[in-house]
Amino acid sequence: MKLIIFLAICMATNLVLPVVNCLGQGNSSASKTITGEYYDWTKTMKPENPWNHDYDQTLVMKMFLCSRGDDGGVDKVYLDFEQALEVVRKLDNLTLGVPKIIYLVGWQFNGHDSKYPAWNQVNNALKREQDETSLQSLKWLMKEAKKYNTTVSLHVNMIDAFKDSPLWEEYFEKDIIAKDINGAPIPGETFNGMTSYQISYTQEWEMGLAQKRIDNLLKMLPELKDAGTVHIDAFHSIRPAAYKEGENSDEMSPFLGYSIDQEIATQRKIFRYWKIMGVDVTAEGGMYWLRKDPFIGLQPFAWHFEPENFKSEEWHGKPEGFQGLPSDLYCGTPMHAEGKIMEDPINLNGIKEEFCTKVVPWFMTNKIKKTGKKNVIWKFENGEVYLPVSWANNKLLVFTENGFKNRKLKLPEHWKGLDKVFLYSFGVNGTQFLGELTVRDLTVNLSLKQGDSVLIFKDLENSNH
């Protein structure tokens, strides 16, 4: 009965699901239907199932909240949940209401890289004073952020494990922790003074514990389904230590003997399981040395997206003569922002310039690729940007790195008939009216100082962000 209900949901939501018979391993009937088969994206140039977000028309960022110390405890709180919302508000002002996704780093236990593989505790150091629990505070942040055109979600990890994790004993006894041929756990990289160990995706899946991890997180925080996206850090296919040593690089766990291709197939199951639960999986990398498959059509976005890597490296399913991927199938972000937020969460110095010179052109470029339309009056080169704010009506952005005097700027054809337009500045606290510009022959005359940026509004009616 459960399987019938599940398949009915898939049909109702147009969810494409590769299925096999129901004799597979796993905790739920949903997981038993999932295969690890390769998805041939070249047939449609579309994802296996539609993405929940238009990642090539969304600004994706991370926000680092808390670091973990070498003793396993809290090291430093950069932002608690209340402070995080204030940053979200300021970012929305700086980015002119662009659709945003922000993944929270260090939201769990005692900060970033704390007590993996467990996810079942929200960091108490981030709690708002007026809430009873840190979980309530996280739920509050995710809800309030929507007011600022922002989807807040989580940064998690599905490969690393630490000995102080509440799941360590179970994962060790069930051989999910990667072990050498003698059964000893294999040390991995050291993060903030603590040694990590890696897990076998396949063993965790076969034990039903990957599904259980995901299920329990979604049960604890159903708001994740509403967010529709999650970010998996370090979703490698090859254990980093094995790659560096040059030994056993064809096995995640020599003790188990699963091949890397088997682990990759299980990663595909994980992508599909999250998707069945209503959540897209983005990841830290796309195609790089610890992967043989970039999971095109299953993963919409990579934090470190390097198009040249897709061209230069060999990978599963790489077409002959491969030249690139459409941005709505696979993309990265034009602005990471995480470091700048950590350095200056009050003023967010440096983000505005990066927004002008990288984000706005990135959005416009992706839009041009989709529509094939390009207007010759737009400019984004040599330290100057003159572009429409493509996600908002009747707004133009002007930025100059070096400054200029009495520059004639042509206005869009659909602004014909205007005798004046309105000039605004913008910053962390929103827009501020600067004055009017006279329009002659659909042209305005403008002077800006070095590093200046302004907005030109078609009319006052649309001036309030």
Side-chain angles (χ1 to χ4, degrees):
M1 178 60 73
K2 290 182 179 178
L3 179 57
I4 293 172
I5 294 172
F6 164 70
L7 292 175
I9 292 171
C10 292
M11 294 175 65
T13 58
N14 296 317
L15 185 65
V16 177
L17 182 65
V19 297
V20 292
N21 63 54
C22 298
L23 299 178
Q25 302 289 324
N27 273 349
S28 68
S29 55
S31 70
K32 295 174 184 177
T33 65
I34 300 173
T35 76
E37 68 183 32
Y38 175 78
Y39 170 68
D40 188 357
W41 54 275
T42 62
K43 292 180 180 179
T44 63
M45 301 301 287
K46 300 292 183 183
E48 185 172 76
N49 291 289
W51 308 133
N52 295 326
H53 297 270
D54 294 325
Y55 291 89
D56 66 335
Q57 290 291 292
T58 302
L59 177 56
V60 179
M61 296 175 284
K62 294 181 187 178
M63 190 181 295
F64 196 99
L65 303 181
C66 182
S67 58
R68 185 236 332 122
D70 57 12
D71 61 352
V74 171
D75 172 44
K76 179 179 179 180
V77 174
Y78 289 83
L79 295 166
D80 62 28
F81 289 130
E82 192 154 29
Q83 293 166 333
L85 183 67
E86 180 63 7
V87 172
V88 167
R89 181 190 70 81
K90 291 178 178 180
L91 282 171
D92 194 48
N93 286 331
L94 277 178
T95 60
L96 306 176
V98 69
K100 289 173 288 298
I101 295 171
I102 294 179
Y103 298 115
L104 303 178
V105 182
W107 63 272
Q108 86 287 359
F109 288 99
N110 295 324
H112 179 42
D113 285 332
S114 176
K115 299 189 186 298
Y116 289 138
W119 298 333
N120 61 319
Q121 174 61 56
V122 180
N123 191 336
N124 286 323
L126 309 180
K127 187 180 78 70
R128 296 194 308 156
E129 186 176 338
Q130 58 268 51
D131 293 330
E132 291 185 9
T133 67
S134 53
L135 177 60
Q136 288 178 342
S137 297
L138 174 56
K139 289 172 175 281
W140 169 84
L141 172 60
M142 295 178 76
K143 179 182 177 182
E144 292 297 309
K146 294 177 184 178
K147 299 176 182 177
Y148 304 106
N149 305 293
T150 303
T151 297
V152 166
S153 185
L154 304 182
H155 170 285
V156 299
N157 183 301
M158 293 197 73
I159 192 173
D160 290 329
F162 295 90
K163 286 187 174 181
D164 68 343
S165 173
L167 292 179
W168 175 266
E169 185 175 344
E170 179 182 13
Y171 274 50
F172 182 81
E173 289 179 354
K174 293 182 177 178
D175 299 323
I176 296 169
I177 304 297
K179 299 177 179 180
D180 63 24
I181 57 174
N182 298 314
I186 304 172
E189 298 172 292
T190 298
F191 300 115
N192 280 27
M194 293 186 72
T195 300
S196 70
Y197 297 82
Q198 281 63 61
I199 71 170
S200 164
Y201 301 119
T202 302
Q203 186 73 352
E204 187 189 26
W205 181 271
E206 293 299 316
M207 295 289 105
L209 295 180
Q211 303 92 310
K212 184 177 180 180
R213 268 211 283 175
I214 295 167
D215 292 346
N216 286 346
L217 180 61
L218 294 175
K219 183 178 180 180
M220 179 181 81
L221 193 66
E223 288 82 358
L224 271 182
K225 290 189 177 184
D226 183 51
T229 186
V230 72
H231 185 79
I232 300 183
D233 183 36
F235 204 31
H236 312 313
S237 302
I238 299 170
R239 184 166 41 83
Y243 179 86
K244 291 178 180 178
E245 295 163 5
E247 299 174 359
N248 300 317
S249 60
D250 60 339
E251 296 174 339
M252 186 73 80
S253 178
F255 184 75
L256 296 171
Y258 293 125
S259 69
I260 291 301
D261 284 341
Q262 285 176 291
E263 299 286 359
I264 289 171
T266 303
Q267 286 181 278
R268 295 189 192 115
K269 292 180 181 181
I270 292 169
F271 275 109
R272 288 171 174 139
Y273 191 79
W274 277 104
K275 188 63 176 176
I276 287 169
M277 298 303 162
V279 182
D280 295 338
V281 169
T282 68
E284 182 182 10
M287 186 58 227
Y288 56 104
W289 64 98
L290 296 176
R291 275 187 171 185
K292 293 167 63 177
D293 186 346
F295 305 108
I296 299 169
L298 301 178
Q299 176 183 321
F301 170 95
W303 182 249
H304 298 295
F305 178 67
E306 303 293 343
E308 287 305 313
N309 288 357
F310 286 80
K311 293 181 182 179
S312 63
E313 297 189 28
E314 293 302 316
W315 37 271
H316 288 336
K318 184 177 182 179
E320 187 175 348
F322 174 82
Q323 292 299 313
L325 296 165
S327 60
D328 58 357
L329 180 62
Y330 213 117
C331 68
T333 181
M335 182 174 77
H336 289 96
E338 183 181 19
K340 288 184 171 61
I341 295 171
M342 291 174 70
E343 293 169 7
D344 184 10
I346 305 300
N347 301 302
L348 301 175
N349 280 326
I351 288 181
K352 182 178 177 180
E353 180 178 351
E354 200 168 352
F355 169 74
C356 292
T357 58
K358 295 182 179 179
V359 177
V360 179
W362 182 82
F363 270 80
M364 193 63 184
T365 298
N366 288 343
K367 193 168 187 179
I368 289 170
K369 287 178 180 177
K370 283 184 176 180
T371 63
K373 297 178 181 179
K374 185 176 181 180
N375 192 313
V376 295
I377 70 171
W378 308 134
K379 181 176 183 179
F380 47 103
E381 58 185 9
N382 301 324
E384 289 190 9
V385 177
Y386 176 46
L387 286 172
V389 181
S390 59
W391 56 89
N393 293 325
N394 301 321
K395 296 179 183 179
L396 306 175
L397 173 77
V398 187
F399 170 83
T400 174
E401 196 173 88
N402 301 311
F404 53 72
K405 289 185 178 180
N406 299 318
R407 176 72 56 84
K408 293 186 181 298
L409 298 177
K410 186 77 172 177
L411 299 177
E413 285 294 325
H414 67 276
W415 287 23
K416 190 175 292 184
L418 296 178
D419 57 6
K420 62 182 177 180
V421 291
F422 305 92
L423 199 64
Y424 283 79
S425 64
F426 68 99
V428 293
N429 292 315
T431 55
Q432 183 175 354
F433 180 68
L434 296 177
E436 299 177 356
L437 294 176
T438 301
V439 180
R440 292 189 178 88
D441 298 323
L442 209 59
T443 301
V444 295
N445 202 31
L446 184 65
S447 297
L448 291 178
K449 298 177 182 177
Q450 183 178 2
D452 268 0
S453 56
V454 293
L455 296 170
I456 299 174
F457 283 62
K458 182 180 179 182
D459 50 54
L460 285 172
E461 183 178 78
N462 293 320
S463 63
N464 292 322
H465 165 51

